Structure formats: structure tokens, C-alpha cells
Amino acid sequence: MAVTLLQMRDAAKDLCDHVSDPSVSDATWTRWINNGIERLYRIATRHGTGAFQTFTASPFITLTAASNLIAKPATLRRLIGVTVDPASPSLRRSLPKYSMGERDARGLLGPRAYHVVGQNIAIEPFNLCAGVYQLHFVAGPTILTADGNTIDVVLEPYREYPETWAATKALGKEESDTRDLYGDLAKME
């Protein structure tokens, strides 16, 4: 069952008895819930990133001779690798990663490789970069902005964590005792 931001916000308010309390805006609750989701994501990825591994699906990324840069997906947290010719099993291969110091040493006819440059992934050598590519990466959690947005399916069973995190922030704002809720968070970690 998909859990929405509205449901999580209402549960957090209920947890700390702030259901009808106007002292904390919905925007602040949303920020606290997203912070809790980010903390939960970090806990989950410490135990394994497999659930967050993804790839650029079809249509694949096509580079022409005009550019050797692939824009990083907005959800990319860690690049695992780059595959060239992903749709052709007999030609498909993973590109090696190169360091900036190796770039010029590779020359114009060296084998293709990739390097992360700011918000892009560069394929070198430039003159051989034309082709079809697929990125394999670890994605970050979905940031909830609207009431109907849903928490990621892999995090949904642990939705109590961001709800409890938000409730601790609300109680902390009014300088109430948060020890019980922080104890609950520690048990969930």
C-alpha cells in the first residue's frame, strides 16, 4: 500500500499530539519528514545498497560526435558503472573508470572510459565517444513535496522512522521531553 506524505505528516502530528496545533506549518513538517527519510535512507544503505541500485532504462543514452558528456540523473547518489552498447549482448561491455591524470595519457585512440566531471559523466577519448550508453547507479530517496507523493517502496515498511523523527523535531521546538521518541528511533536503527 502506497504511503503518502499527507498520511506520514498526520501520523507524525498524532505521535506528538500536535494534530490541531498550528504552531508548526505543513512546510516545516514536510521538511522534517524528508530529513527523516534521508536518515532512514542512510541507515538502509549501510546495510546494503541493492534495493536502491537502478539503471537508465530504454531508451538508452545516445552520444553523437558533438559531445562526450552524459548528464547525471537527478536521483544519482553513487555511480556504479557505465555500459556501452547495452542492447547488444555480443557487443555490450562495461567501461573502465579513469582518473583525471590518466586522461591525456590515454591518447586519442585509447579504449573508451568514463570519468565524473561535476554534474556530467565524460566519455573519453572524445573522438570515439559516439555510441549508446547505459548508466548503473545507486539512487537516492524520493523527496516528498506534495501531499499525494509516496515514500519509496523499499522504505515504506519503515515509515515509522521519518514520522518519529518529525515528531521529535516538533516536541524539541516546544522544548518538551523527547527522550521516549529518541529511544524509539534508536531501537529502529
Side-chain angles (χ1 to χ4, degrees):
M1 179 179 125
V3 179
T4 66
L5 171 61
L6 178 62
Q7 291 169 316
M8 293 179 72
R9 193 169 52 228
D10 288 347
K13 288 178 181 181
D14 188 47
L15 194 58
C16 63
D17 295 327
H18 278 91
V19 174
S20 300
D21 185 0
S23 65
V24 179
S25 69
D26 282 351
T28 301
W29 281 107
T30 298
R31 187 178 77 246
W32 288 338
I33 286 174
N34 279 316
N35 290 346
I37 290 171
E38 180 64 35
R39 288 178 60 89
L40 176 59
Y41 169 84
R42 281 187 260 139
I43 292 166
T45 55
R46 270 196 317 243
H47 299 290
T49 59
F52 296 96
Q53 286 185 1
T54 190
F55 51 88
T56 50
S58 189
F60 299 114
I61 300 161
T62 302
L63 289 181
T64 63
S67 175
N68 69 332
L69 299 177
I70 299 171
K72 288 192 328 191
T75 59
L76 185 142
R77 286 291 178 94
R78 184 170 52 87
L79 184 62
I80 297 170
V82 178
T83 302
V84 64
D85 297 323
S88 177
S90 62
L91 297 175
R92 178 178 52 221
R93 66 185 187 286
S94 295
L95 297 182
K97 185 176 182 177
Y98 71 90
S99 69
M100 201 58 197
E102 296 172 342
R103 184 186 70 173
D104 294 332
R106 297 181 73 79
L108 293 175
L109 300 175
R112 282 188 272 191
Y114 74 92
H115 181 70
V116 177
V117 181
Q119 294 301 311
N120 296 299
I121 297 143
I123 307 296
E124 295 286 350
F126 184 87
N127 60 326
L128 299 176
C129 71
V132 179
Y133 297 90
Q134 183 177 43
L135 304 178
H136 301 267
F137 60 96
V138 175
T142 302
I143 295 173
L144 308 180
T145 55
D147 288 348
N149 291 153
T150 58
I151 189 171
D152 293 314
V153 173
V154 295
L155 296 177
E156 188 176 309
Y158 313 102
R159 68 178 262 195
E160 288 180 30
Y161 190 92
E163 294 166 357
T164 305
W165 176 258
T168 62
K169 295 300 172 188
L171 289 175
K173 182 176 181 179
E174 67 179 26
E175 299 179 1
S176 293
D177 185 17
T178 59
R179 285 180 290 187
D180 289 343
L181 290 177
Y182 275 116
D184 292 344
L185 286 173
K187 289 176 194 172
M188 289 183 232
E189 291 180 14

